[in-house]
C-alpha cells in the first residue's frame, strides 16, 4: 500500500491505492509502460490524501503548480547536464497547469518529462564514453562552473557536449592531481627507507609519466560514469511516478513524503 507521511507524525493512507497496487504474492515491479489508469488513480488521489493529512491544507492553485514544476525540474535534472533549453521550454507550458492535472488525475507533464529525460540520458551515455576515449589537453585556459544554480540549461546539443567535455576534463584533472600526490608520497617513502637502510633498498615502482597518469585518471572517471549510468538507466516509469508524487507531497509540506508500495517477489522459489 502506498502512503504519505505527514509532519503531524502519522501516515495518511490513500483510499483506493489497494486497487492500484495489489498486495497479492504475484505483484511485480513493472518494467514496461505503466497503464494510464494507474497514473490517473494515483495522481487523482494525491491532493485528496494530502488534504486529509493536514489541519491547514495547502491551496492547490497556479502558485502551487509553479512550485511543483520548479522542484520536480530540480529532481529531474538539477545538474543541468541532460535537458536542453528547448526541452525545458516544452515542459514550461505546464508550469501553471500541473495543479489542474493533479486534480483531474492527468499526467501529460509527467509523461513528457519522462520521455525527454530518458532520451537525453541515453544521448549523454554515448557522449561521455566518446569524450573519454581521447586525452584531455590541460594547457588551454578554460573554466568549469561547478554550481549548477549559476548556469542555464545547454542551448543545444553542441552546448551540452561542451559542458560534458569540461566536466569530464575537470574531473580527470582532479584525479591526475590525486595520482601525482600519491606517486610523490610513494617516492618520498621509498627514498626515506633507502636512506635508513641502504643495504635493504629495493627497486621502487617506475615513475609514471604525466600522459600515463592522465590515462589512468580517465579510466577512473570512465569507471565512475559506467556505474553511474548503469544505476540511472534502471529508473523506470514507476520510479518517475513515485518521484513526481513525492515532489507534490514535498511542495504541499516539506515534511510530507510519498512512499511507493513495497513490491513482493513474483514467486516463492528461493
Amino acid at each position: 500500500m502506498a502512503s504519505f507521511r505527514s509532519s503531524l507524525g502519522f501516515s495518511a493512507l490513500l483510499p483506493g491505492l489497494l486497487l492500484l497496487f495489489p498486495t497479492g504474492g504475484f505483484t511485480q515491479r513493472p518494467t514496461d509502460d505503466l497503464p494510464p489508469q494507474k497514473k490517473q488513480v494515483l495522481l487523482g488521489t494525491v491532493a485528496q490524501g494530502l488534504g486529509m493529512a493536514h489541519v491547514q491544507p495547502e491551496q492547490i492553485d497556479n502558485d502551487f503548480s509553479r512550485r511543483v514544476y520548479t522542484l520536480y525540474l530540480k529532481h529531474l535534472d538539477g545538474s543541468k547536464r541532460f535537458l536542453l533549453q528547448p526541452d525545458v521550454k516544452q515542459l514550461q507550458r505546464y508550469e501553471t497547469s500541473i495543479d489542474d492535472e493533479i486534480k483531474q488525475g492527468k499526467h501529460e507533464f509527467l509523461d513528457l518529462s519522462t520521455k525527454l529525460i530518458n532520451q537525453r540520458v541515453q544521448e549523454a551515455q554515448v557522449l561521455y564514453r566518446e569524450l573519454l576515449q581521447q586525452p584531455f589537453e590541460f594547457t588551454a585556459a578554460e573554466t568549469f562552473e561547478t554550481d549548477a544554480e549559476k548556469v542555464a540549461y545547454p542551448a543545444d546539443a553542441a552546448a551540452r557536449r561542451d559542458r560534458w567535455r569540461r566536466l569530464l576534463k575537470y574531473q580527470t584533472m582532479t584525479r591526475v592531481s590525486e595520482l601525482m600526490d600519491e606517486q610523490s608520497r610513494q617516492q618520498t617513502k621509498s627514498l626515506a627507507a633507502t636512506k635508513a637502510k641502504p643495504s635493504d633498498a629495493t627497486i621502487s615502482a617506475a615513475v609514471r609519466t604525466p600522459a600515463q597518469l592522465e590515462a589512468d585518471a580517465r579510466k577512473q572517471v570512465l569507471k565512475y560514469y559506467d556505474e553511474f549510468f548503469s544505476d540511472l538507466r534502471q529508473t523506470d516509469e514507476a520510479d518517475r511516478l513515485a518521484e513526481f508524487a513525492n515532489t507534490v507531497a514535498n511542495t504541499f509540506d516539506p515534511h510530507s513524503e510519498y512512499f511507493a508500495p513495497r513490491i513482493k517477489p513474483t514467486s516463492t522459489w528461493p
Side-chain angles (χ1 to χ4, degrees):
M1 177 181 290
S3 64
F4 282 90
R5 179 169 295 172
S6 75
S7 58
L8 302 181
F10 62 91
S11 295
L13 303 183
L14 298 188
L17 289 189
L18 280 176
L19 298 176
L20 204 168
F21 299 105
T23 57
F26 296 99
T27 304
Q28 181 181 13
R29 180 188 182 87
T31 55
D32 299 324
D33 292 345
L34 287 175
Q37 294 84 353
K38 288 191 174 184
K39 299 178 186 179
Q40 292 170 359
V41 172
L42 175 59
L43 297 178
T45 54
V46 164
Q48 177 186 354
L50 287 170
M52 293 168 55
H54 292 267
V55 177
Q56 295 181 328
E58 175 81 17
Q59 186 71 25
I60 300 181
D61 51 18
N62 286 353
D63 181 60
F64 179 83
S65 179
R66 292 187 186 94
R67 285 186 283 132
V68 171
Y69 169 81
T70 300
L71 183 58
Y72 188 64
L73 206 58
K74 287 183 178 180
H75 288 318
L76 201 64
D77 184 19
S79 64
K80 299 178 182 175
R81 299 174 190 171
F82 300 103
L83 296 176
L84 306 177
Q85 288 183 22
D87 300 330
V88 177
K89 189 173 182 179
Q90 287 187 64
L91 295 174
Q92 201 167 20
R93 298 201 307 262
Y94 297 90
E95 187 174 12
T96 58
S97 62
I98 295 175
D99 57 318
D100 299 319
E101 289 200 351
I102 292 173
K103 294 173 184 177
Q104 299 168 18
K106 294 183 178 180
H107 43 84
E108 292 180 10
F109 171 74
L110 174 62
D111 290 346
L112 178 58
S113 63
T114 298
K115 175 184 176 182
L116 289 172
I117 194 63
N118 286 347
Q119 178 183 348
R120 300 313 182 194
V121 166
Q122 186 175 1
E123 293 169 353
Q125 187 170 22
V126 175
L127 187 59
Y128 86 84
R129 289 173 176 169
E130 178 186 332
L131 290 169
L132 287 170
Q133 292 301 310
Q134 300 297 325
F136 288 108
E137 174 57 61
F138 295 134
T139 59
E142 289 187 307
T143 61
F144 175 72
E145 178 57 67
T146 58
D147 187 353
E149 294 292 335
K150 296 181 180 180
V151 297
Y153 286 92
D156 50 31
R160 180 186 57 186
R161 179 187 178 84
D162 185 65
R163 182 166 300 177
W164 270 96
R165 183 188 62 78
R166 290 170 184 256
L167 168 65
L168 296 172
K169 178 179 177 180
Y170 167 75
Q171 293 176 329
T172 299
M173 185 170 59
T174 299
R175 281 160 176 76
V176 167
S177 177
E178 294 171 351
L179 290 173
M180 291 178 65
D181 289 342
E182 180 183 348
Q183 180 168 267
S184 179
R185 287 193 298 269
Q186 290 176 347
Q187 288 179 304
T188 301
K189 184 178 180 181
S190 177
L191 179 61
T194 300
K195 289 182 177 180
K197 293 184 177 181
S199 60
D200 295 337
T202 58
I203 300 176
S204 61
V207 177
R208 287 174 292 176
T209 66
Q212 290 172 326
L213 292 174
E214 191 273 346
D216 288 343
R218 273 189 293 115
K219 288 180 182 178
Q220 291 182 16
V221 175
L222 178 64
K223 182 176 183 296
Y224 168 80
Y225 277 105
D226 282 343
E227 295 173 352
F228 173 78
F229 273 85
S230 178
D231 292 339
L232 197 59
R233 292 297 297 272
Q234 297 301 313
T235 304
D236 59 19
E237 273 204 293
D239 296 320
R240 297 295 183 194
L241 176 60
E243 180 65 33
F244 182 66
N246 193 47
T247 300
V248 173
N250 289 161
T251 304
F252 195 95
D253 175 2
H255 303 290
S256 291
E257 294 183 2
Y258 165 78
F259 292 87
R262 302 181 67 179
I263 305 301
K264 297 183 179 181
T266 57
S267 82
T268 58
W269 291 98

